[in-house]
Amino acid sequence: MTPRDPTRVRALWRCVLVATAMSGSYAPALLIDLLRPRASADDPALGLFSPFMPTVPKVAFWAVLCGWAVAAIAAAATAAVPALRPGRTPIGQLTVLGTLVMSLAVWPVHVMATNLPELLLVVPTTAAGLWFAHRSQRHHRMPGRLLLGAFAWGALPAIGLAGAMNTLYLDYAPAYLQEAGNLLYLHNRVYAGAAFHAGFVEEAAKGAGVAIALLLFRRHTAGMVSGIALGAAVGLGFNFTESIEYLSSATGSAAGFQHWMRQTVGLMAAHTAFSAVLGAGLGLASQMDRTRGRAFVVTCGFLAAAGSHAASNVVFRWYGQIGADLVGAGPAVDTVLMSPVVLILVQGPCVLMVALLLRHGLREQAEGIADVLLAEARSGTGTVTPVEVPMLIVPARRFWLRVTLLRRAGRDAYRAVVAVQRAQLTLATHQWLSSQGRVPPDPAEEHRLRVRILRRRTRQAELLSAVGVTGR
């Protein structure tokens, strides 16, 4: 991050505010638990201190409190020490941000460290999902490390906060919702509330990671398409840790069912699709100028994601209770047919929404980039030629050219052509976003990108001539 860059400094402070709101949401849940009606005088002040509560939630509680303390000290030092103030260096702000975020990762780290076989089992399918999310950006692709960072957010702090909040809810909700002599009614009320609580809390935790990525790495993102990819990566990370937890607690055929539903037929649905919808809203908001319009779009995206999540929780809980009796199917038919059908009916609309939003975003990108590429070709800089424009804006043509070169010129020439095309699309995307007012104009960055293209083009020409292939 460049020092003394007021735009980047403001973005970093906004990220700190997002992380503070995310971590600070733990405090109201603790207060509600603290004020809950007590069944007896022997009940602990906080349910986390009950002798029946596992050790890990208690450790997570103290980690969050320590994170708040360290973040407060770092914030105070940032304000008091001139060298750490905004505009000088981001060390203080990054310390606050990192401390607040990583203090939430105790439980997911424990889940991964104690269930290595299950972790290894879900790696291949999750990696395939991440590859698909990366490839869905057909014109401008963010750096792979940015998607991996979004994945890590979902797998660590997002699910860490959500797990802590869900645990607190299940501890204090019975005390508030109880009704004398009606345990079944209490059970239904608690778990109905848990379905909505989980939907809204988990989507908020995942969305915070997408918002931070869009704020900090704005020059690498391109609106709604980037938001969808980031949201999908966060959802895959969340699903990764949750799958490990469910697989480790299941045995026999139940473990196979969990892997089938979470890591196979439902991999790109559920958490992945929910957070992709929210990511679309956040990505679209990043393109807008009006604050009110941004708030409206983000709110719509959040409600769509959280509402779909809550509805899915309710329907799958209902189907798990009466589905077998209602349909009359055996375990094999239920696993192979009925459960996937329910998943399609419940989560299919959300997946379809993501597909339509992605299609719209890609079309918008293609139209904007095409105009910029034509202007760049007419400029005579040599970075783009008129012949290359139709090929650059149609992914199928780019793919066919690459395959042809791989067969005729070999791997090195193929890589050189891919490098040139990626640099050309990066330049075009930057110019398009600048022309739309979505990122500030940066002539120095454009010059740097043009120099990169010309250098790669020279390398490409050398490799193609070496194998007897001419032309651009």
Side-chain angles (χ1 to χ4, degrees):
M1 180 174 295
T2 304
R4 303 180 187 276
D5 184 345
T7 302
R8 302 298 296 277
V9 169
R10 284 195 301 269
L12 183 55
W13 274 116
R14 289 171 184 170
C15 293
V16 171
L17 290 177
V18 171
T20 301
M22 178 184 176
S23 180
S25 64
Y26 196 78
L30 290 174
L31 182 62
I32 295 172
D33 194 11
L34 184 65
L35 299 177
R36 76 190 187 283
R38 311 285 175 81
S40 67
D42 296 332
D43 283 354
L46 284 174
L48 290 173
F49 297 146
S50 168
F52 303 104
M53 185 67 68
T55 302
V56 175
K58 300 176 183 179
V59 175
F61 165 77
W62 290 114
V64 171
L65 293 188
C66 291
W68 290 347
V70 173
I73 294 172
T78 301
V81 179
L84 298 178
R85 289 175 186 169
R88 301 292 183 99
T89 175
I91 294 176
Q93 299 95 301
L94 289 174
T95 301
V96 175
L97 179 62
T99 302
L100 290 175
V101 168
M102 295 315 299
S103 63
L104 301 169
V106 171
W107 173 72
V109 168
H110 170 78
V111 169
M112 295 181 194
T114 55
N115 299 286
L116 291 179
E118 290 79 7
L119 184 152
L120 295 175
L121 185 62
V122 300
V123 164
T125 49
T126 302
L130 278 172
W131 178 85
F132 182 81
H134 182 63
R135 299 292 297 183
S136 67
Q137 307 168 88
R138 303 184 69 184
H139 303 296
H140 170 74
R141 292 195 176 113
M142 295 176 290
R145 61 184 180 275
L146 184 52
L147 279 186
L148 289 176
F151 171 83
W153 179 278
L156 294 171
I159 197 170
L161 175 65
M165 299 286 278
N166 290 337
T167 299
L168 285 170
Y169 170 84
L170 293 175
D171 178 69
Y172 63 67
Y176 286 100
L177 301 176
Q178 63 184 330
E179 184 174 310
N182 197 340
L183 293 179
L184 179 60
Y185 183 59
L186 171 63
H187 180 272
N188 290 335
R189 291 178 71 181
V190 169
Y191 278 94
F196 286 89
H197 178 274
F200 281 78
V201 167
E202 291 175 10
E203 294 311 315
K206 291 187 287 183
V210 179
I212 288 176
L214 290 171
L215 286 169
L216 280 185
F217 304 100
R218 189 173 180 180
R219 71 186 185 92
H220 292 302
T221 61
M224 188 164 59
V225 174
S226 297
I228 291 173
L230 288 168
V234 171
L236 285 165
F238 198 102
N239 184 63
F240 178 80
T241 304
E242 191 173 77
S243 296
I244 297 172
E245 180 198 11
Y246 277 85
L247 285 171
S248 64
S249 60
T251 57
S253 60
F257 176 78
Q258 291 293 338
H259 190 276
W260 165 250
M261 292 298 293
R262 293 177 177 277
Q263 289 291 316
T264 308
V265 296
L267 179 66
M268 302 308 292
H271 288 294
T272 307
F274 301 148
S275 54
V277 169
L278 178 53
L282 290 165
L284 181 59
S286 70
Q287 301 176 343
M288 302 172 67
D289 296 327
R290 295 177 56 190
T291 302
R292 181 176 299 179
R294 288 178 179 176
F296 177 76
V297 169
V298 172
T299 300
C300 288
F302 175 72
L303 291 178
S308 300
H309 192 157
S312 178
N313 289 343
V314 170
V315 172
F316 270 100
R317 175 171 172 75
W318 166 80
Y319 181 76
Q321 291 176 333
I322 68 171
D325 297 333
L326 182 67
V327 179
V333 175
D334 177 72
T335 298
V336 176
L337 179 61
M338 296 311 303
S339 291
V341 167
V342 173
L343 183 144
I344 292 172
L345 292 175
V346 177
Q347 300 176 1
C350 191
V351 176
L352 179 61
M353 187 188 307
V354 173
L356 292 175
L357 290 171
L358 180 61
R359 180 187 179 191
H360 175 78
L362 289 172
R363 284 186 172 182
E364 182 188 23
Q365 278 190 6
E367 292 172 0
I369 289 174
D371 293 338
V372 170
L373 285 172
L374 287 171
E376 185 70 16
R378 297 190 193 102
S379 67
T381 59
T383 55
V384 180
T385 64
V387 176
E388 292 175 312
V389 174
M391 179 266 302
L392 286 171
I393 62 177
V394 180
R397 293 182 180 179
R398 294 202 307 266
F399 176 75
W400 182 251
L401 174 65
R402 293 173 183 181
V403 171
T404 303
L405 283 173
L406 181 62
R407 293 172 56 189
R408 294 180 56 190
R411 184 177 300 176
D412 291 339
Y414 164 82
R415 289 176 176 175
V417 171
V418 170
V420 171
Q421 291 178 346
R422 287 178 178 172
Q424 290 171 326
L425 289 171
T426 299
L427 172 63
T429 303
H430 178 80
Q431 292 175 325
W432 171 56
L433 294 176
S434 298
S435 67
Q436 298 292 315
R438 300 173 186 177
V439 298
D442 190 348
E445 176 68 8
E446 291 186 15
H447 176 72
R448 185 183 66 82
L449 291 172
R450 286 192 177 97
V451 171
R452 178 192 296 178
I453 294 171
L454 295 174
R455 288 176 178 173
R456 292 182 177 182
R457 190 184 285 285
T458 301
R459 174 62 176 166
Q460 169 190 311
E462 292 173 354
L463 290 171
L464 291 178
S465 63
V467 294
V469 178
T470 59
R472 288 183 174 180

